[in-house]
Amino acid sequence: MKASRIAAAGAAAGVTVLVLSAPAFAHVTVQPEGTAAKGGYAVVDFKVPNERDDASTTKLEVTFPTDHPLASVMPEPMPGWKIEVTKSRLDKPLEMHGEKITEAVSKVTWTADGKGIQPGYFEKFPLSVGQLPEDTDQLVFKALQTYSNKEVVRWIEVPQEGQEEPDNPAPVLKLSAASEGGHHDAGADDDADSESAEKASAETAADDSGSSDGTDTTARVLGIVGIVVGAAGVAYGVLAGRRRSNA
C-alpha cells in the first residue's frame, strides 16, 4: 500500500512538472522551410501558438533586425488575415544585384479579419526573405502577439548562449553556411541532364541495333548449317538404300 502511494505521488508530481513546463515551449518561433543559407534566399515560417483558453490570437507583429536589414521580404497571402508590410529608410544603403537599396522592411503585421487563432490551435505565417547576411550566424526577430481580450505578449527577450531560455524569448533564425557552388543554376543542370539522357538513349539504341544484327546473323548461319546437315542425311540415306539393293 505504501509503495502504491509513493508511485501515485510520483506520477502526480510528474504531471505537475509537465503542466508547469509546457508554457515554456509554447512561444513564437521561426524556422526555415528547408535551409536558410548565408547570402541566399529562404522561406521562413513564424509559428504562433495560442496560449490562452479564453481568448484568440488576433494580431502578430514581427520586427526585423536593423543591424542586418533585409531588402526583400514578401508575405504569402493568408485567408482570414490582413497583411501590412512596413519599410524604413536605411542609414547605410545596401547593394543588391548591382543596385543600391535605400530602404528595407522593418516590420510585418498580420491582423485577423475573422476568428484568428482560437484556443488549442497554432498557425504558421510564411515569408520569403533575402538576401540573407553573410557576416552572422543568426537573425533575431522581435514579435508582439495580441489576443482578443487586448492582452499583448511581447516575445522580445534575446536568448543568450550558455544561459537559460528567457520567459519571453524572441524568435531566432539560425543561418547555415553558404553553398560552395554559389547560386544554383537550374537551367544549366537541366540542359546537361537532357544531353546526358539523349546520349544514353542513342547508345542504348545502337546497342539494341547491334544486338539485333548479331541475332539475325546467327539465325542465318544456323539455318544454313541445318540445311547442309539435312542434305547430308538425305544423301546418306539414298546411298545406304542402294547398297542394300545391290546386296
Side-chain angles (χ1 to χ4, degrees):
M1 181 65 71
K2 185 176 181 180
S4 299
R5 291 177 179 175
I6 293 174
V15 172
T16 302
V17 170
L18 288 176
V19 171
L20 292 177
S21 62
F25 295 97
H27 50 256
V28 176
T29 58
V30 58
Q31 292 292 334
E33 294 183 8
T35 59
K38 298 178 181 179
Y41 291 77
V43 175
V44 299
D45 295 324
F46 287 88
K47 182 180 178 182
V48 182
N50 193 326
E51 296 183 301
R52 302 294 179 263
D53 296 329
D54 56 353
S56 299
T57 295
T58 57
K59 189 176 183 179
L60 174 67
E61 299 172 75
V62 175
T63 301
F64 284 70
T66 56
D67 54 344
H68 294 96
L70 299 175
S72 176
V73 177
M74 292 186 293
E76 180 179 329
M78 294 181 60
W81 295 87
K82 176 186 175 182
I83 307 173
E84 181 182 359
V85 178
T86 304
K87 292 185 178 182
S88 299
R89 191 169 186 83
L90 297 173
D91 295 333
K92 182 180 179 180
L94 294 174
E95 186 169 338
M96 180 179 294
H97 305 301
E99 296 183 2
K100 285 188 176 182
I101 307 298
T102 59
E103 63 179 12
V105 173
S106 56
K107 185 170 66 173
V108 177
T109 304
W110 291 266
T111 305
D113 55 15
K115 296 181 179 180
I117 308 174
Q118 300 183 65
Y121 291 86
F122 75 90
E123 194 155 355
K124 291 182 179 180
F125 297 79
L127 290 174
S128 173
V129 298
Q131 185 173 350
L132 297 174
E134 300 181 11
D135 57 349
T136 185
D137 295 326
Q138 64 181 30
L139 290 176
V140 179
F141 301 87
K142 296 185 178 182
L144 301 182
Q145 182 179 8
T146 302
Y147 286 91
S148 55
N149 59 3
K150 307 304 180 183
E151 178 189 3
V152 178
V153 180
R154 300 168 63 84
W155 303 101
I156 61 173
E157 299 178 64
V158 181
Q160 301 296 328
E161 187 175 356
Q163 298 183 12
E164 292 186 2
E165 185 178 68
D167 293 335
N168 295 88
V172 178
L173 176 65
K174 300 293 184 180
L175 303 181
S176 60
S179 57
E180 295 181 359
H183 296 292
H184 177 66
D185 189 352
D189 286 351
D190 291 343
D191 291 341
D193 291 342
S194 178
E195 291 177 1
S196 297
E198 291 177 0
K199 183 178 180 180
S201 178
E203 291 176 352
T204 301
D207 291 342
D208 292 343
S209 177
S211 177
S212 177
D213 293 343
T215 302
D216 292 343
T217 301
T218 302
R220 292 192 187 103
V221 171
L222 291 176
I224 294 172
V225 171
I227 293 172
V228 172
V229 172
V234 172
Y236 177 79
V238 172
L239 291 175
R242 288 180 180 177
R243 288 175 182 174
R244 291 193 189 98
S245 297
N246 292 334

